[in-house]
Amino acid sequence: MNQPRPELGREIATTEDGIDITRGFTGPLLQPYDSVLRQRGGGDLVIYEQVFSDAEVKSTFAQRQLSVTQCEWQVDPGGDRPIDIQAADYLREQLHAIGWDNITTKMLTGVFYGYAVAEIIYKVDGGRIGIDAIKVRNRRRFRYGKDGDLRLLTMSNMLEGVPAPAPYFWSFCTGADNDDEPYGLGLAHWLYWPTLFKRNGIKFWLIFLEKFGMPTAVGKYDTNATGPERSLLLQATRAIQVDSGIIMPKEMEIELLEAGRSGTADYKVLHDTMDATIQKVVLGQTASTQGSPGKLGNDKLQADVRADIIKADADLVCESFNTGPARWLTEWNFPGAAIPRVFRITEEPEDLESRAKRDEAISRLGFKPTQAYVQDTYGGEWEPTTPAPVGSGTPLPTPSAIADARFAEAGSTVNQLLRRFYPGFAEAPDPAPDMARQLDRNIGPAGDKWIQQLRELVDNAQSLDQLRDDVLAAAPDMDLQQYAAAMAEAMAVAQLAGRFDAGQSSEV
């Protein structure tokens, strides 16, 4: 049975009145699902601003913000065409001009509250539309309508608000587990209770310390004491906490009622436990603030948790910007260009020691890195060294050793040795070109053999990955002895020629 064609753009499970049974009738503006916000704060984010004022919450969340903004950001073109590159260059200039790190820091507070809103102010930039500023606004000034549209509350319209449309406003929400919640669900939802418990615990902790530091003074009066006498005794007991001495009648008695209890006070334990809870909610672990690795796993595990959070926060802001302001600017100024991509480099730098070990292992297979690769990977300035001849079995002697051995073997002059390697040496006015051609003829068979082996591998490979694997597997079996011997002999001839020329010059 054929399925009917779908209606494009049709949405059934909307959040309009009477459709969403979890909301019912909500009025012109949607209310947040957040149970803490609705029951404890009446839907106003001011209670979460109080949570943010906690010292531990502030310091731990600042770590998340700084961990993101310390990562370098860049803008990559959406394609390879010139117009794509121009669009990326222009967007990069705009972000440098408006201070992208500062904007990112403020927009990241949306992770704490659940959503963030920024207003974009445009300007004329030559023949293009540019960004004059991006101002992150107080999220308490905004609500969402029944259709999920952003609305700005004003003094003259606090019931419905006025529209806050794109491209003048850029917003995102995060933390909610469904798309029916435009306000998101921020970290403050989980931080409210540990912060409240800690504050109440500190209040009782201070009372506890006061009782031990300054015991309560108790004055005893006789049953027939008059009202003025009682007032005088009360004034004397209250004066103990501020004065070093008091005056009182002899017949009256004052003693200190000290707090007596057994065991230990647990207020500090409560305080530290709530701080650890805050750290786990914000950072996913406690070692970053407590300085004691291992409480939630080893160092690598905690580093992985931190890296995941940094990447998630960076991607949240960048992806939201890419689908909003970056797209709007590109479509206005560079019609048809691919949308550039703004992102942050959150990956840790590569372990060069591990890379060096890998390169060393590859070199044993018969491959060596290029000078450009070494400089790009390890930095600095490098110059290639003269490599020793490579071959199988016993290593070949150096050109100098070959020349000395040939002198001893022949028991003759340098001229005779040169004639042995290159018969036409004495007759040629400049033997260097002929010597180069002879070297080419000597190493030609070895090179042809390698090319034939590689051609067979290419013809039989089904994919680039297979070709790579086949080349690496065949590398140890490729014979380098003929090539090495020809090169060693050529270098020996060149050295002998140099000695001959030096001898001729000295005779003259």
Side-chain angles (χ1 to χ4, degrees):
M1 179 179 179
N2 295 330
Q3 293 291 336
R5 289 179 59 86
E7 298 180 22
L8 302 181
R10 181 183 180 184
E11 184 178 0
I12 299 176
T14 65
T15 56
E16 296 178 358
D17 295 338
I19 299 296
D20 188 351
I21 63 173
T22 64
R23 294 182 185 272
F25 180 78
T26 62
L29 299 177
L30 294 178
Q31 297 299 317
Y33 277 120
D34 189 340
S35 58
V36 174
L37 193 61
R38 297 177 68 173
Q39 297 174 10
R40 307 287 297 188
D44 193 343
L45 288 173
V46 67
I47 64 166
Y48 287 164
E49 291 180 351
Q50 296 172 358
V51 173
F52 196 72
S53 66
D54 180 85
E56 189 66 28
V57 172
K58 172 63 177 175
S59 63
T60 52
F61 190 75
Q63 284 191 35
R64 286 185 65 152
Q65 292 174 301
L66 293 175
S67 296
V68 173
T69 54
Q70 63 89 26
C71 297
E72 295 295 331
W73 61 269
Q74 65 184 58
V75 182
D76 282 355
D80 299 329
R81 298 174 300 169
I83 191 174
D84 301 333
I85 298 175
Q86 292 175 7
D89 292 341
Y90 184 71
L91 180 60
R92 188 181 303 107
E93 294 174 1
Q94 296 295 302
L95 294 183
H96 276 296
I98 61 178
W100 179 238
D101 282 345
N102 180 50
I103 295 171
T104 300
T105 299
K106 295 177 180 178
M107 288 299 285
L108 280 172
T109 56
V111 176
F112 182 86
Y113 293 102
Y115 67 103
V117 181
E119 183 177 2
I120 305 176
I121 303 172
Y122 297 99
K123 66 178 180 180
V124 176
D125 185 15
R128 301 189 178 105
I129 299 176
I131 298 178
D132 187 50
I134 296 181
K135 297 186 177 182
V136 180
R137 302 300 188 183
N138 189 337
R139 65 217 54 83
R140 292 178 59 199
R141 302 173 58 188
F142 297 86
R143 295 291 189 275
Y144 286 92
K146 295 182 296 183
D147 296 330
D149 54 316
L150 186 67
R151 304 187 71 84
L152 171 64
L153 301 182
T154 63
M155 294 298 296
S156 60
N157 197 339
M158 300 183 64
L159 181 61
E160 297 184 5
V162 299
Y168 303 102
F169 289 89
W170 160 42
S171 65
F172 68 81
C173 67
T174 182
D177 59 359
N178 61 78
D179 291 330
D180 292 340
E181 177 54 285
Y183 296 96
L185 193 62
L187 298 177
H189 172 80
W190 290 275
L191 293 173
Y192 176 79
W193 292 112
T195 304
L196 180 65
F197 293 155
K198 186 177 74 169
R199 286 176 175 171
N200 288 334
I202 291 177
K203 179 179 67 175
F204 291 113
W205 192 4
L206 293 176
I207 296 175
F208 167 79
L209 294 176
E210 182 183 3
K211 293 298 182 182
F212 271 81
M214 178 58 67
T216 302
V218 177
K220 295 183 179 180
Y221 59 88
D222 199 37
T223 55
N224 58 358
T226 63
E229 291 175 338
R230 297 180 182 180
S231 298
L232 180 61
L233 180 61
L234 180 61
Q235 293 176 9
T237 58
R238 291 177 176 175
I240 292 177
Q241 297 188 13
V242 294
D243 296 336
S244 59
I246 61 173
I247 298 176
M248 56 183 302
K250 291 182 179 180
E251 62 272 12
M252 293 185 179
E253 179 183 355
I254 291 181
E255 66 180 16
L256 297 179
L257 180 63
E258 298 187 13
R261 59 180 297 171
S262 61
T264 58
D266 291 334
Y267 297 113
K268 185 178 186 305
V269 175
L270 172 64
H271 177 273
D272 294 344
T273 302
M274 293 302 100
D275 275 353
T277 302
I278 291 171
Q279 295 160 17
K280 292 177 184 178
V281 171
V282 178
L283 302 176
Q285 41 89 14
T286 61
S288 296
T289 55
Q290 292 182 349
S292 52
K295 290 195 172 184
L296 291 179
N298 56 32
D299 294 343
K300 184 179 184 304
L301 176 60
Q302 294 181 34
D304 291 342
V305 172
R306 178 179 180 273
D308 292 341
I309 292 177
I310 294 174
K311 180 170 177 55
D313 288 348
D315 289 346
L316 174 66
V317 176
C318 291
E319 290 179 3
S320 174
F321 184 84
N322 290 336
T323 58
R327 179 173 60 85
W328 303 332
L329 279 183
T330 303
E331 292 177 349
W332 292 333
N333 297 312
F334 304 92
I339 308 301
R341 174 174 173 257
V342 182
F343 67 98
R344 289 186 180 270
I345 305 174
T346 59
E347 293 78 10
E348 293 291 336
E350 183 182 8
D351 185 357
L352 294 181
E353 183 176 354
S354 299
R355 169 66 76 92
K357 292 180 179 179
R358 191 193 70 176
D359 291 345
E360 182 181 1
I362 294 177
S363 67
R364 297 193 188 103
L365 300 176
F367 296 90
K368 66 177 182 179
T370 63
Q371 184 175 355
Y373 168 83
V374 174
Q375 291 176 334
D376 293 341
T377 303
Y378 301 101
E381 298 181 357
W382 298 79
E383 292 183 357
T385 59
T386 303
V390 180
S392 58
T394 303
L396 293 173
T398 63
S400 177
I402 293 175
D404 294 340
R406 295 283 170 82
F407 270 110
E409 175 186 355
S412 181
T413 62
V414 173
N415 189 20
Q416 291 174 329
L417 290 171
L418 286 174
R419 291 180 182 276
R420 174 180 175 184
F421 287 108
Y422 177 51
F425 175 79
E427 292 79 8
D430 184 10
D434 289 339
M435 294 172 67
R437 285 191 289 271
Q438 182 173 335
L439 173 61
D440 182 63
R441 288 193 299 269
N442 292 340
I443 66 174
D448 294 340
K449 184 178 180 180
W450 294 344
I451 293 175
Q452 181 61 31
Q453 289 177 293
L454 292 174
R455 181 179 291 112
E456 292 176 357
L457 294 177
V458 172
D459 293 340
N460 296 328
Q462 300 297 324
S463 64
L464 291 177
D465 292 339
Q466 180 185 349
L467 177 60
R468 178 198 60 196
D469 297 338
D470 291 345
V471 170
L472 292 176
D477 298 330
M478 288 187 175
D479 187 10
L480 298 175
Q481 187 171 5
Q482 182 179 359
Y483 176 86
M487 287 296 298
E489 185 172 299
M491 295 178 70
V493 171
Q495 188 173 9
L496 291 173
R499 291 189 181 187
F500 179 79
D501 288 342
Q504 293 291 97
S505 299
S506 60
E507 292 177 1
V508 176

